[in-house]
Amino acid sequence: MNPLQAISSQGKLGKLQPNNPFVLDWIQKTADLVQPENIFWCDGSEEEKAYLMEQAVKQGVLIPLDQKKWPGCHYHHSNPNDVARVEQCTYICTRRQKEAGPTNNWMEPKAMRQKLQALLQGSMKGRTLFVIPYLMGPSGSRLSKVGVELTDSIYVVLNMRIMARMGKVAWDHLGNSEDFNRGTHTVLDCNPERRFISHFPEENEIISVGSGYGGNALLGKKCLALRIASYLGRDEGWLAEHMLVLCVQDPEGRKTYVAAAFPSACGKTNFAMMIPPHSYKGWKITTIGDDIAWMKPAPDGRLHAINPENGYFGVAPGTNLKSNPNAMKTIARDTIFTNVARTPDGDVWWEGKDNPPPADLIDWKGKPWDPRSGEKAAHPNSRFTSPMKNNPALAVEADDPQGVPISAIIFGGRRATTMPLVFQAFSWFHGVFVGASMGSETTAAAVGSVGQVRRDPMAMLPFCGYNMGQYFDHWMEMRRHIEILPRIFHVNWFRKDGAGRFCWPGFGENMRVLEWIIGRCHGQKDAREKSIGWVPRFDDMNLKGMEEMTRERFDEMMKIDPEEWRNELVLQNELFLKLYHELPKEMIYQRELLVARL
Ligand code: OXD
Ligand code: MN
């Protein structure tokens, strides 16, 4: 018997050990370091889920909700110090600092490993080490990747089995190969002083300690599918992006696939699950993914995208039957709610849910909520974790190993000023510049101040696993490998008028913008050339039924204000100066062209 078997769990479950010698060797070394009492080898089965759920409830990690109202659903509240991604504790550990670039925290790998080694030493004494084999992407896809996460958090296991394809499917995909991501995670004592989300892209490895929060602890998501994958994508000729992917089907049955990058908590899930307004008879939107896209040129000459995930880790506040009816149906069963408010009889509530707050609400910190306190009942970054298959608008292509051919790429930020509702870039290079110079207001998805405009290139600032300047270069370079290039657009749903009201109603009405975008891709919609790109005129967009959208209001929403753009250029320059040494020349050229046009 090998030593790993000796410390494997005693019951019938938790025994799916692979034969892969690289996996076994690494787990043995990790187990020797963290010294767990048990090793539980997850198989991803329903039986295992029932067992782990029961254990999590016994341990008080999960609270079952009212099973009539919320079948299969559970509640979790986290340590109040651990509610969001921590960019200041997130590191890219490459041998040379230049490789990580000026937008990432960097530490020399040996130094970081030493620090982590000390923290990991004996950290799982008396605890169970769960082995989570998982596959990012559809089974059988040339784009999919295997990861193995070792964690001492049962909450992480139960979330990972929603977010990724977990169990035998991953071992089968891996076979005897050495090509898998090694992920080690432990919550330790959940102390922000001892919190490190460390990436070693050169070794395809992640070590995350001190946090149980989704983006820091579900290692398949931001750590592997974005930071490590972006690094791998650069070397292997593909793109790992913070993008939703959706399918638009028009009344003739033609399908067009769109990828869109928005920063965290800016409505990607809502956009990916959008229901078109009533007047759009015969139009249908289906969801391929709501957060991450892996895109690679395919033999048909087009850029094909898959969603590496298998579930949604969405922001609860603001989700309701008007903003996102499909999400409300998705979360109605088999969902884990984290840090929303709850009632003693097993209901959940958050700010912006359809109903007013029920009496006896317990806030996200577990205390009775006083509506007069001025405090939020649910944390602004409270979340739901739901299986993708619950989504009534799930695209049939979501599981297609070939992925879907992308016709349009949309970049978008949350901007109260400056940015019009929509414009189209003149070319691929100009589009890359538009994405690279994107700015957005910060949100509660990361610890720190909320509402400040910062540069967030391609919505990847917190997620790019290497030098951002090289990342722009990689985007430019992709042009040579894609025969039929997607068109590139920029949108802003959040512009405000002089009275501080949103210019555009958003949500389902975004279909009107999408229709113009699709039309542009197929050469069926007109536009006017402006300094910043191609913009729709009032008559180019379908605004039927939007009485409030007069020509004057439309013009105000689309205005390119010279003063605001002068300021924008200064702000863009801050990032470009930071990246100056690695910035592709084309980027500087595009900037000069914009200045000249403005
Ligand atoms: C997320 C994020 O959780 O971007 O998707 O923070
Ligand atoms: Mn995200």
Side-chain angles (χ1 to χ4, degrees):
M1 187 171 19
N2 74 39
L4 281 174
Q5 255 160 359
I7 53 170
S8 285
S9 49
Q10 298 302 304
K12 187 158 100 28
L13 293 165
K15 290 198 173 306
L16 185 74
Q17 235 188 75
N19 291 322
N20 184 309
F22 304 105
V23 171
L24 293 176
D25 180 56
W26 165 63
I27 297 181
Q28 180 71 67
K29 285 193 180 115
T30 310
D32 289 346
L33 178 66
V34 301
Q35 299 164 31
E37 183 166 310
N38 287 309
I39 297 186
F40 189 101
W41 300 79
C42 299
D43 64 13
S45 65
E46 285 302 309
E47 206 187 352
E48 175 181 279
K49 175 183 162 191
Y51 169 76
L52 292 176
M53 280 288 179
E54 196 188 309
Q55 293 300 309
V57 170
K58 264 194 203 146
Q59 293 166 20
V61 173
L62 292 183
I63 299 170
L65 293 180
D66 174 346
Q67 294 297 300
K68 279 216 185 80
K69 259 194 198 150
W70 296 99
C73 294
H74 290 79
Y75 180 85
H76 171 78
H77 45 98
S78 74
N79 188 318
N81 79 30
D82 189 28
V83 292
R85 282 184 292 98
V86 279
E87 292 176 11
Q88 69 280 16
C89 309
T90 301
Y91 287 82
I92 301 295
C93 306
T94 42
R95 280 188 292 272
R96 288 158 56 238
Q97 181 164 12
K98 194 171 155 216
E99 183 78 2
T103 59
N104 282 312
N105 299 314
W106 175 82
M107 201 184 285
E108 197 277 315
K110 257 203 207 126
M112 180 57 99
R113 280 185 191 279
Q114 243 167 27
K115 196 186 263 290
L116 294 170
Q117 189 106 355
L119 294 171
L120 288 170
Q121 181 74 45
S123 61
M124 295 193 194
K125 271 190 189 151
R127 297 173 67 79
T128 296
L129 184 165
F130 297 93
V131 179
I132 309 173
Y134 64 96
L135 181 67
M136 298 307 285
S139 170
S141 174
R142 70 193 177 116
L143 268 165
S144 296
K145 298 270 181 206
V146 174
V148 182
E149 176 165 355
L150 309 181
T151 180
D152 57 1
S153 161
I154 197 166
Y155 169 79
V156 164
V157 180
L158 290 167
N159 277 269
M160 277 294 284
R161 58 162 292 129
I162 298 174
M163 294 306 296
R165 294 155 176 94
M166 195 231 264
K168 189 171 173 316
V169 63
W171 293 140
D172 288 349
H173 195 102
L174 183 63
N176 261 343
S177 162
E178 201 179 349
D179 182 17
F180 66 99
N181 177 267
R182 291 155 171 78
T184 306
H185 168 252
T186 167
V187 186
L188 297 177
D189 54 351
C190 201
N191 179 349
E193 302 290 315
R194 304 183 331 138
R195 191 167 285 164
F196 295 95
I197 322 300
S198 325
H199 305 73
F200 302 88
E202 288 152 344
E203 285 89 23
N204 193 3
E205 185 169 357
I206 303 156
I207 303 177
S208 166
V209 301
S211 166
Y213 171 74
N216 304 326
L218 311 179
L219 300 186
K221 193 172 178 63
K222 302 302 182 183
C223 300
L224 171 54
L226 288 176
R227 298 194 190 97
I228 296 282
S230 60
Y231 180 95
L232 297 175
R234 178 195 60 180
D235 293 349
E236 297 170 3
W238 53 282
L239 295 164
E241 297 301 325
H242 194 200
M243 290 181 179
L244 66 95
V245 180
L246 58 77
C247 170
V248 187
Q249 188 171 337
D250 67 16
E252 284 75 52
R254 179 180 61 185
K255 287 181 167 184
T256 309
Y257 301 95
V258 175
F262 301 101
S264 308
C266 287
K268 281 204 295 301
T269 307
N270 291 347
F271 192 51
M273 296 183 180
M274 185 198 348
I275 296 182
H278 290 303
S279 58
Y280 275 78
K281 295 255 167 343
W283 290 79
K284 205 170 137 197
I285 305 281
T286 50
T287 319
I288 287 113
D290 80 324
D291 193 41
I292 298 174
W294 286 357
M295 304 192 285
K296 188 170 186 173
D300 65 1
R302 309 193 64 179
L303 185 64
H304 278 236
I306 61 160
N307 168 17
E309 301 191 281
N310 201 30
Y312 308 119
F313 182 63
V315 178
T319 306
N320 57 53
L321 287 170
K322 179 168 172 287
S323 66
N324 194 339
N326 284 325
M328 293 305 284
K329 289 186 187 135
T330 304
I331 65 180
R333 55 175 58 244
D334 300 320
T335 292
I336 298 173
F337 292 95
T338 302
N339 291 340
V340 300
R342 66 187 167 96
T343 61
D345 60 355
D347 199 357
V348 282
W349 190 84
W350 48 82
E351 277 74 15
K353 196 163 174 271
D354 296 283
N355 53 328
D360 301 335
L361 208 52
I362 300 166
D363 73 9
W364 68 275
K365 291 184 187 156
K367 304 237 170 56
W369 183 62
D370 177 0
R372 292 158 309 178
S373 67
E375 307 248 318
K376 301 262 193 243
H379 187 276
N381 191 38
S382 50
R383 298 280 179 149
F384 54 79
T385 321
S386 300
M388 173 166 101
K389 67 173 188 322
N390 283 7
N391 177 5
L394 185 67
V396 287
E397 299 87 340
D399 246 329
D400 186 341
Q402 305 304 325
V404 295
I406 299 295
S407 294
I409 292 176
I410 304 175
F411 294 112
R414 182 187 283 267
R415 298 296 300 271
T417 66
T418 320
M419 290 295 172
L421 178 66
V422 58
F423 65 91
Q424 181 185 354
F426 295 123
S427 64
W428 179 262
F429 284 166
H430 179 227
V432 174
F433 169 80
V434 167
S437 54
M438 199 172 115
S440 191
E441 292 165 22
T442 48
T443 67
V447 171
S449 58
V450 168
Q452 315 251 289
V453 174
R454 71 168 180 181
R455 292 299 112 188
D456 189 352
M458 285 142 171
M460 282 288 278
L461 181 72
F463 307 121
C464 184
Y466 62 103
N467 190 307
M468 192 58 105
Q470 289 171 13
Y471 167 75
F472 298 157
D473 198 36
H474 179 49
W475 262 86
M476 297 280 186
E477 165 68 18
M478 287 299 288
R479 179 181 178 277
R480 295 206 293 130
H481 306 281
I482 311 166
E483 244 166 74
I484 304 167
L485 285 164
R487 305 285 195 273
I488 301 183
F489 299 82
H490 186 282
V491 301
N492 177 23
W493 315 134
F494 301 95
R495 194 169 195 176
K496 290 188 175 161
D497 63 14
R501 291 169 307 172
F502 285 114
C503 294
W504 181 252
F507 304 111
E509 303 298 337
N510 294 339
M511 181 66 221
R512 300 173 189 275
V513 178
L514 206 44
E515 185 195 0
W516 181 77
I517 288 175
I518 303 298
R520 291 294 294 165
C521 293
H522 297 298
Q524 293 167 337
K525 283 276 182 196
D526 280 335
R528 181 163 161 210
E529 189 181 336
K530 290 274 195 138
S531 51
I532 61 168
W534 295 99
V535 297
R537 288 161 300 196
F538 185 73
D539 296 323
D540 295 327
M541 272 186 67
N542 175 1
L543 301 170
K544 250 183 271 140
M546 293 184 89
E547 267 76 49
E548 72 287 9
M549 190 48 72
T550 57
R551 244 172 228 281
E552 290 68 39
R553 266 191 86 69
F554 183 82
D555 289 344
E556 187 181 3
M557 176 174 71
M558 297 303 293
K559 187 170 174 213
I560 298 164
D561 182 291
E563 196 48 49
E564 287 179 351
W565 273 88
R566 249 193 293 281
N567 196 29
E568 181 69 10
L569 285 171
V570 172
L571 294 173
Q572 288 178 1
N573 215 26
E574 279 173 21
L575 176 78
F576 284 8
L577 282 176
K578 206 167 167 181
L579 295 172
Y580 188 75
H581 294 291
E582 294 292 322
L583 212 55
K585 285 206 180 55
E586 184 62 40
M587 200 65 82
I588 296 165
Y589 181 54
Q590 287 296 332
R591 183 179 157 75
E592 279 169 3
L593 284 178
L594 174 64
V595 172
R597 288 195 304 263
L598 279 166

